[in-house]
Amino acid sequence: MIRADPTEATVSPDPNDPQRFFYVPGEPVPELGPNGAPALTLLLADTASRLQLGARWTVDGATLDRLRRRVAAEHPEVDPASIDLQPAPARVRDVTLLIRDAGGTRRDLAHATSSGFTPHTALFAVPLAAEEERVAALRAVHGTEGELGVRYTADVLGEDGRWQTVTREADVGRWFRGQSAEGHLLFAPGVSPTKPVSPAPDLPTAVTFQVQARARDMPVAFVTVTWGAETTTLRPPDFVPASLGTSKGPVEVTTRYTVGGRPYTTHLTPDGDTCDLGPADLGLCEVVLDAEGFPSQGVREVRAQVTYRPDEDGTDDERTVYLRGGTWTERWWLVTRAPDLAGTLEVKLKITRTDGTALDLPRFSRGDPHLALSLPDDGKDPEDNHDSD
């Protein structure tokens, strides 16, 4: 069944063709200009400003490759070379441009129709008469999230043959994370580029960078934060926060690991006086192995061999975990050098019941770092009852 996941692309098999799989895109993505930047223009004027932008509901080539590898890992019975990935049949009902008003409430700013076929392109050309609209649009172009959004509402044909309504929403500010607003702002005659009609986001005089508390047990050697000409280093075990004066352009965050290997670098744009660096910013992903329901089902012990197979730059990881007694959940960190798992987990389970009998189960693969285990029925995969997408 296709899930209405608001961020991630989902995949479902074609019941009529074992080699064909249908995908439903996740968040809408921007229409791109010739320079590879979002095709968005904000014309600032003394009276009526104007916003033009394009959006698409599709997946890029890199995401398509990841989906293909995921299908190959989860369906070993299918020859990887014969996997046929196709967009799921979809009818886009509406594309909505959302904006936050002065009171913090989101409302519909404009509606558009899509192209009617993949990539379901939608174009907006919207006058911004109110000052609060111009402020919100300008903040979004400067990378502030929560100000401007694009929402697709569509009917998608599920694997059960029924049409299901799904919504997918993107934050325009996230499109501009690490991007410069230069080239996206135009100024009407009489409006000064150095003092636009709508103020730029209010920036503090300094921003404090800190690593989230739960990161203290991560395999991080140190984190370097560079903003303009200033640099600071955050080191374990305390990761004492440090402040940098505000500068133009994105912040560069580089993480080095205790397990060695090349560092991971990402870019972000602070939107307040404190910037929390979490696992996604540090190129890490937490794996959770959860068998909390096993004791009540007569299980004495679980031995799990978990192997991480990265898609690209992550560090291979393999470990054996025992769940028993009062410990039925285990957590650990993977160096993925990506904001998510960016790979698959191969799991081999041996389940010992309280009567001494054991189940030695076949190896299975998952693309979700949260492995919620359940006791198999008739020798099936212990996660067969879970939605693997």
Side-chain angles (χ1 to χ4, degrees):
M1 183 174 181
I2 299 173
R3 297 181 306 170
D5 189 314
T7 59
E8 297 295 333
T10 58
V11 180
S12 60
D14 182 348
N16 301 313
D17 186 342
Q19 297 177 330
R20 181 176 297 137
F21 295 82
F22 292 114
Y23 65 84
V24 179
E27 291 184 356
V29 296
E31 182 80 5
L32 300 180
N35 60 353
L40 181 151
T41 301
L42 177 58
L43 173 65
L44 295 170
D46 285 328
T47 53
S49 297
R50 190 171 185 83
L51 173 67
Q52 299 183 58
L53 66 89
R56 308 169 79 191
W57 189 42
T58 186
V59 299
D60 58 23
T63 300
L64 202 60
D65 288 342
R66 285 197 296 271
L67 292 177
R68 192 179 304 278
R69 288 193 292 269
R70 179 175 177 180
V71 169
E74 297 184 2
H75 295 271
E77 74 281 2
V78 180
D79 179 5
S82 67
I83 293 173
D84 181 18
L85 265 180
Q86 298 289 337
R91 302 185 297 233
V92 175
R93 291 186 184 181
D94 178 68
V95 187
T96 306
L97 186 64
L98 306 164
I99 198 165
R100 187 175 71 171
D101 61 26
T105 302
R106 293 197 319 161
R107 61 177 175 84
D108 296 358
L109 178 64
H111 296 268
T113 57
S114 80
S115 57
F117 51 86
T118 301
H120 300 291
T121 302
L123 302 175
F124 291 93
V126 185
L128 305 176
E131 177 68 12
E132 64 184 34
E133 295 174 349
R134 287 174 281 179
V135 170
L138 190 58
R139 288 181 181 272
V141 176
H142 280 85
T144 301
E145 298 181 17
E147 302 287 341
L148 201 64
V150 176
R151 181 179 63 216
Y152 276 72
T153 303
D155 293 327
V156 177
L157 188 63
E159 60 182 302
D160 58 359
R162 299 180 181 180
W163 290 91
Q164 305 170 39
T165 301
V166 301
T167 59
R168 298 290 190 270
E169 187 173 316
D171 192 308
V172 174
R174 194 175 301 127
W175 291 354
F176 285 87
R177 188 176 183 182
Q179 299 263 359
S180 171
E182 186 177 355
H184 297 279
L185 302 179
L186 298 179
F187 301 89
V191 177
S192 170
T194 59
K195 191 176 181 180
V197 65
S198 297
D202 298 327
L203 291 177
T205 57
V207 174
T208 299
F209 295 88
Q210 58 188 24
V211 174
Q212 292 179 359
R214 67 187 183 123
R216 295 184 179 180
D217 60 345
M218 295 181 186
V220 174
F222 59 93
V223 179
T224 302
V225 182
T226 302
W227 201 1
E230 295 186 70
T231 299
T232 189
T233 302
L234 309 177
R235 300 181 183 276
D238 297 326
F239 291 103
V240 176
S243 297
L244 297 179
T246 57
S247 177
K248 292 183 178 180
V251 176
E252 182 178 278
V253 179
T254 299
T255 305
R256 290 174 172 79
Y257 307 101
T258 56
V259 297
R262 73 175 189 82
Y264 172 69
T265 299
T266 189
H267 296 84
L268 53 86
T269 301
D271 57 3
D273 56 8
T274 301
C275 183
D276 285 334
L277 301 177
D281 303 307
L282 305 179
L284 297 161
C285 181
E286 185 180 37
V287 175
V288 179
L289 189 64
D290 180 3
E292 289 291 342
F294 275 15
S296 63
Q297 300 178 66
V299 174
R300 185 180 68 198
E301 178 184 272
V302 176
R303 185 187 70 188
Q305 295 175 325
V306 184
T307 303
Y308 172 52
R309 305 290 188 191
D311 286 341
E312 296 178 1
D313 299 326
T315 298
D316 292 340
D317 186 276
E318 184 172 357
R319 64 187 66 209
T320 299
V321 178
Y322 289 89
L323 302 176
R324 57 197 173 196
T327 303
W328 292 96
T329 301
E330 186 72 20
R331 302 171 181 265
W332 67 93
W333 296 101
L334 297 175
V335 177
T336 62
R337 296 183 179 86
D340 49 22
L341 181 63
T344 57
L345 297 170
E346 294 181 0
V347 185
K348 182 73 169 65
L349 296 179
K350 182 177 181 180
I351 299 174
T352 303
R353 301 180 186 272
T354 52
D355 62 6
T357 59
L359 295 173
D360 201 354
L361 301 174
R363 187 179 301 271
F364 62 90
S365 297
R366 287 292 177 266
D368 188 337
H370 191 125
L371 300 169
L373 305 180
S374 60
L375 207 59
D377 296 326
D378 300 325
K380 295 179 182 178
D381 183 324
E383 285 197 323
D384 275 351
N385 295 328
H386 294 265
D387 192 345
S388 61
D389 287 334

